[in-house]
Amino acid sequence: MPEPAKPRLRILDFQPIFYQGERMWLLRDPWQLSDRQIIVPQAIAQMLLLCDGTRTAEEIHIDLVEQLGEEIPFDAITNALSELDRAYLLHTERFEIKRTKALTAYRAGDYRPPALADLSYPASPHELTALFQSYGSDQPRQQANRSWRGVVSPHIDYQRGGPVYAQVWDEAAQAVLDADLVLIFGTDHNGSAGTITLTRQPYATPFGILPTDVALIDKLADAIGGEQAFAEELNHRNEHSVELSAVWLHYVFHQANRPPCPMIPILIGSFHHFMENGHHPADEPMFRRFHEVLRWETAGRRALAISSVDLAHVGPAFGDAFAMDDRRRSALREEDHKLMDAITRGSAAEFYDRIHAARDRNRICGFAPLYHMLRFLDASTGVQVAYQQCPADQTDTSLVSICGLLVE
């Protein structure tokens, strides 16, 4: 007799909403395997935390009733699980079949299409160029004669972060044009903890297609573990972090009337498990293999590393009980500048230790990719180009901090 199924929820994006006058949660599938929208009340959202693959439906029901201190009909549990399964939100055979079809279709394309063109920025290269030029300034480049090997760029939307993008990419322009390989380390917002996820698909932008280096990608995949390196490859399809820096990268080549060099997109999963288990990313064998191969294969090449990241996410919009007033904004600026100092000194260890000591209370969205970039570069010096605190809610009581940095 087979054992009862133990539902396991996929990694999803939970968005708080008000529906019919009640606080609800919208479940967003980053892979968009279904057109179904799932909206659940608070009690069912609490149930989802129990869908970790260790409990049967009956056990989920028992634990949920105990947690809530009130009776929940068992039918509510089974109906919710059935709806989740129909939307491919549980790890089931139906989901695996659907995932395989979506992955096959993604890999069959000639390139990874822009996910945000005509949604977050213009798809027309002429309109996009005009937008980017509107963010610029008449100030001369301050760092024109430096040989930069690393760039820290935001991945916030252009509407809020445009001036910071413009400043850092303008300063980095010569380094981009001098490069024969670009690596973009991007935050994998929907990735599993501790992952490095590759794709062989070149990224397209409104300016054309950024070529890639499949041979190097395959060597990196071997270092990670072939199946593991591509297990969450579908995250590349809609992830904005690499895309928003890749568009600016391509813009630099376009403005110089130069064909782009190969670009390798690398999505980096969360480091939060290191906070809980007491381990350190420097001791992770897979990370060591990855960086050994990356350094070996790029030795002698003019490789430019880009970290596509944002910094702090603080205020009520991110679950904090406080509003970001002037005093808190000033204190955050000081904390961010200490992090940026660690980055511009090329210290992966200090950068990690500062965030770890604070238990990542500021929710640094670039925690993992910045660490990997610094570890690859083993840099010694750098400069801060720009810093900004961007509003993250309508009342301007929450914010996202962003920066532009260059490192040698």
Side-chain angles (χ1 to χ4, degrees), residues 47-359:
M47 180 208 79
L48 299 180
L49 301 178
L50 303 174
C51 297
D52 59 1
T54 66
R55 302 171 178 84
T56 64
E58 289 78 8
E59 290 167 335
I60 289 172
H61 180 234
I62 292 169
D63 288 351
L64 182 63
V65 168
E66 181 178 347
Q67 287 183 13
L68 297 178
E70 59 182 89
E71 188 56 44
I72 302 291
F74 182 61
D75 284 352
I77 304 299
T78 56
N79 289 340
L81 292 174
S82 178
E83 285 296 314
L84 293 171
D85 186 29
R86 278 198 283 270
Y88 307 105
L89 302 184
L90 297 176
H91 286 274
T92 62
E93 184 176 356
R94 289 184 72 254
F95 157 68
E96 287 298 336
I97 292 171
K98 188 72 171 179
R99 182 190 74 87
T100 299
K101 289 181 179 179
L103 187 56
T104 299
Y106 169 76
R107 291 173 174 171
D110 293 330
Y111 50 82
R112 180 264 194 201
L116 298 178
D118 268 346
L119 294 174
S120 182
Y121 59 82
S124 159
H126 302 295
E127 292 179 16
L128 185 58
T129 296
L131 177 68
F132 283 2
Q133 290 177 344
S134 74
Y135 297 137
S137 69
D138 297 328
Q139 298 298 317
R141 292 176 183 169
Q142 302 299 309
Q143 313 293 335
N145 297 320
R146 304 282 289 274
S147 300
W148 306 115
R149 297 188 300 126
V151 179
V152 177
S153 173
H155 64 228
I156 200 169
D157 56 89
Y158 299 152
Q159 287 71 26
R160 287 181 290 175
V164 173
Y165 279 101
Q167 290 177 66
V168 71
W169 284 99
D170 185 57
E171 294 285 357
Q174 192 58 52
V176 169
L177 298 176
D178 289 343
D180 62 15
L181 175 70
V182 173
L183 311 163
I184 299 187
F185 296 87
T187 300
D188 193 346
H189 290 90
N190 299 293
S192 299
T195 51
I196 299 177
T197 299
L198 305 175
T199 184
R200 297 183 182 93
Q201 294 295 91
Y203 271 51
T205 79
F207 303 111
I209 298 173
L210 290 166
T212 192
D213 186 332
V214 175
L216 177 53
I217 289 170
D218 286 343
K219 289 176 182 177
L220 294 173
D222 288 342
I224 297 168
E227 185 174 341
Q228 185 176 354
F230 299 106
E232 298 181 357
E233 186 180 1
L234 276 177
N235 285 356
H236 277 276
R237 187 171 62 171
N238 295 310
E239 174 59 68
H240 64 274
S241 64
V242 168
E243 176 175 334
L244 291 175
S245 283
V247 173
W248 275 89
L249 172 74
H250 209 166
Y251 169 71
V252 173
F253 285 111
H254 180 75
Q255 289 298 98
N257 197 28
R258 294 262 298 273
C261 69
M263 184 276 282
I264 296 181
I266 306 168
L267 289 180
I268 306 296
S270 167
F271 271 8
H272 286 158
H273 60 302
F274 290 121
M275 301 281 184
E276 304 301 326
N277 62 25
H279 297 165
H280 194 286
D283 300 322
E284 174 58 48
M286 185 267 284
F287 292 170
R288 286 202 299 271
R289 295 194 304 271
F290 173 80
H291 284 287
E292 285 170 1
V293 171
L294 186 57
R295 289 194 193 97
W296 176 264
E297 294 296 331
T298 58
R301 299 187 68 172
R302 300 187 306 277
L304 178 67
I306 296 165
S307 200
S308 185
V309 301
D310 295 332
L311 297 180
H313 291 61
V314 289
F318 305 105
D320 289 320
F322 53 79
M324 292 302 295
D325 56 20
D326 289 344
R327 179 181 63 82
R328 291 186 182 275
R329 288 171 184 269
S330 178
L332 176 65
R333 181 181 293 270
E334 289 188 21
E335 291 184 58
D336 282 345
H337 276 267
K338 290 177 181 177
L339 277 183
M340 290 188 286
D341 285 344
I343 296 167
T344 55
R345 288 197 302 274
S347 178
E350 182 186 346
F351 173 76
Y352 179 87
D353 289 345
R354 282 194 174 278
I355 298 175
H356 184 271
R359 306 298 294 173

